[in-house]
Each structure stands twice: as C-alpha cells, then as structure tokens.
Amino acid sequence: MSTEHHTHAEEVAQLANPAAPADAIPAVDPRLLVREQGLTGYLSEFRRKMKAGDLGSLPVVIGLIVIWGIFQGLNENFLSPENLTNIAITMVATGMMAVGIIFVLLLGEIDLSVGSVSGVSGALFAVLAVTNGVNEWVAILAAVAGGALIGAIHGFFFAKVGAPAFAVTLSGLLFWSGAMLQILGSNGTINIDPDGVVGQLTTYYFTDVAAAYGLAAVATAGYFLAAFTDNKRRAEAGVPSRPLSELLLRTGLLAVFTFGPAAVFNQYKGLPLAVVLFVVVLVGTDFLLRRTSFGRNVFALGGSVEASRRAGINVTGIRVAVFSIAGTFAAIGGLFWCSKIAAANQSAGAGDLLMNVIAAAVIGGTSLFGGRGRTWNALLGVMVITSIQYGLALEGIATPVQYMITGAVLLATVVIDSITRKTQKTAGRV
C-alpha cells in the first residue's frame, strides 16, 4: 500500500476517533480503501469476498446466461424480441409479489399467504369495479388497501401475540382462499374490462421508440448524477470515493443493460407499461431498504432480534409493517394477474404461484436465514423462473416436468445459500 493511502487512512481514523493520538497506529478496515485503489482494489475485494463465501448475485447471473444459452440452442425463437417481451411482461406479477416476500425473508421469516391474498385482492377489485360499478381507481385502492390490512393482521398475530409466522400465514392461506371463493360467488369468474386501468396493466405498450430509449437514457443519466454527487459528498467528508474512471465504467455497463432491453422492446411492440411499473417499484423499494432508517431496522432485525430490541428498535412495529408491505405487494401482484387473464377467477393465487414467488426471491439471492438481500433480487429470480417456464413451454415439456425442474433449481439455490452462510461463518463474516 502506498504512503498516500496510509496517510489518508490515518486521517479517516483520526476523524472517526478525535481523542486518539495523531501518531497512534489507526485500526482501519482495509475495505475503506478499495475505492481509492481503483481496479486493483476491486479485484482484491472480489477475491476476498469469494474466499469468504460472499457470492452475491454472481451465481444467478451465470445461471441465467446458461439457461438462455441452452434454450436458444434448442429453439432459435427463445431470444426473439417477441418471446423476450412476453417473458418480461409475464414475470411482473410474480416479481411484484416477490418484492413483498423479500421484506419478510429479510426478517428471517416466511409468508405462505401471499398467493391467496393476491387472489382475494383481485376478486375484491372485480366485484367492486365490474359487479357493483365502482370507479376503477377506487376499486384498485380498495384492493391494495385490503392486501395491506390483511398483511398487518398477520403481522399482529406474529409480532404482538407471538404466534409463529409460518402457522399464522398458513392459516391465512386457507382463510383468504375461502374468502376469495365467497367474494366471487357461485359463478366463480368475473371478467374485467380489457380496456380499463387494470386490463391495460399488461397489454399497454409505449409504441414510440423514443419512450424505451428515453427511459434508458434517464436511468443511465440519473445513476451517473447520483453516483457523481455521492462521490463529491464523500470527497468533501474526507472518506474514500470512486475514481471518475470507475464511475464512467459503471455508467457504461448500466447503459448496456438499459439500452439493450430498450432495443429489444422496440423491435416488437414497444416499451411495456408493466415493465416500467416494475422498475419503478424496484427502485423505490431499494431506496427504502438501503437509504432509510426503516430499511436499516429491517436488516438489523434479520441479524439479531434481541440486539435490535436493546438498540431501541420498535421490533413489533417493524414486523407488522413488513408483513403489511408483503400483503400490499401480494395485492398488486393479484391485479397484474387479473390483467394477464382479463378476469378474476377461482384459480387465482393457486397452483405453483406461491412456490414461484418464494423461489424468485431466494433464487435471486435473498437469504432464507434473514439479514441479506435486496429487492433487485426479485428481478433476477423471477427472470430465471419465467425463462425456464417459457423455454420448457417452447419445447413442449409437460407441466409436471416444469415443476420438477423449477423445484430442483430452488433446491440448488438453497443449498448454495446454506454453504455460503457456513463459509461466511468460518471466515468470521456472520
């Protein structure tokens, strides 16, 4: 390490502990200097993380590339603009629900009711908007609020009463499935207006090519400005910041991952509204978890409940809020499913939906043991799940085989998660 780096490390340590003598040897985490060391520092950090079992999203990214490569080799239409657009739209409903599940998993808990909550929320919307002629926006708000209330009820029994989350949400799965059937009535199916607000959630496209490219440009420029501002703030505070060359490299990579999909969408029908809404949700929830005290409290609870309680965190309130968030996104996912099939029916929320939601969160990189994950994991995980489903469907593979393959992928992910956690314990990182 250069003398310059030593000097800066000493300054950081001195700022963190003004009472320490200026000539004392500071104890500084070497990871603080990674940004200043540029590419060399990040390569060292990458090797350190690999040795410690901190794999991050690397396995799922590699897995997704392999899956796409295999299915493209089997069928040249798999990576066609039409098929990729259909995958992107289909994955939104499950992805929305997976975002809510990630909040629960960060606590180290589980919610088995999200499938039935999505079904009852969709049924509530259909009965209000179609059967009773209520304004569609009012019906949407009622359905989403209903999901939030249901989640809060589950959270109350778990956090306040002390019942296990598994038992509470399993009961909720059965109860709300029955409630959905009761709401739908003897007919069992209510068709919604395909040209209405909910109907267009999965059918509306921004056909102007400027829409997709414009969103990609805004996302890329927004990232650069946010990162540049953060760098400037860190530099003014005297702490390590990324060099401009790295910032430009990161921005360039982001441009590839935004303008690439934009080009694909524009080769078919244009930018899907569903994808735009999903990205907005991912950005918003990521900010909530990483940049707010609420998010930090969620991670703290996932690490240690007792330590969080002693630190003054409102454990009960956070738990109730998290389950309410899960219910909210389950309801939103239910509305997207209504849009996808243009109806609310008795099969909503049933089948493999719950498995796919949990699988999407876990496969994406969220730990089942709590305390590790990001809402962007929902995007990666649901891309894997939906890609497998579409790829097998193109090959005419039967549904039972699809279930078995998806289950095997989920098991492999859980095994990797368990091994990673053990490795991190050995390395002293957990």
Side-chain angles (χ1 to χ4, degrees), residues 31 34 40-50:
R31 288 174 294 178
V34 167
T40 302
Y42 277 97
L43 288 176
S44 299
E45 177 73 355
F46 178 77
R47 288 193 293 268
R48 185 189 63 78
K49 286 185 176 182
M50 291 300 99

Side-chain angles (χ1 to χ4, degrees), residues 7 21 61 79 101 168 183 198 261 283 290 397:
T7 303
V61 171
L79 293 180
I101 277 289
V168 171
I183 292 173
V198 170
V283 172
R290 297 198 304 120
I397 304 299

Side-chain angles (χ1 to χ4, degrees), residues 228-259:
F228 183 80
T229 302
D230 181 63
N231 267 13
K232 184 178 179 181
R233 178 180 58 82
R234 294 178 65 88
E236 291 174 349
V239 295
S241 59
R242 293 189 178 101
L244 181 60
S245 58
E246 183 199 336
L247 183 56
L248 292 174
L249 176 60
R250 285 172 173 262
T251 304
L253 290 175
L254 178 61
V256 172
F257 288 106
T258 53
F259 281 92

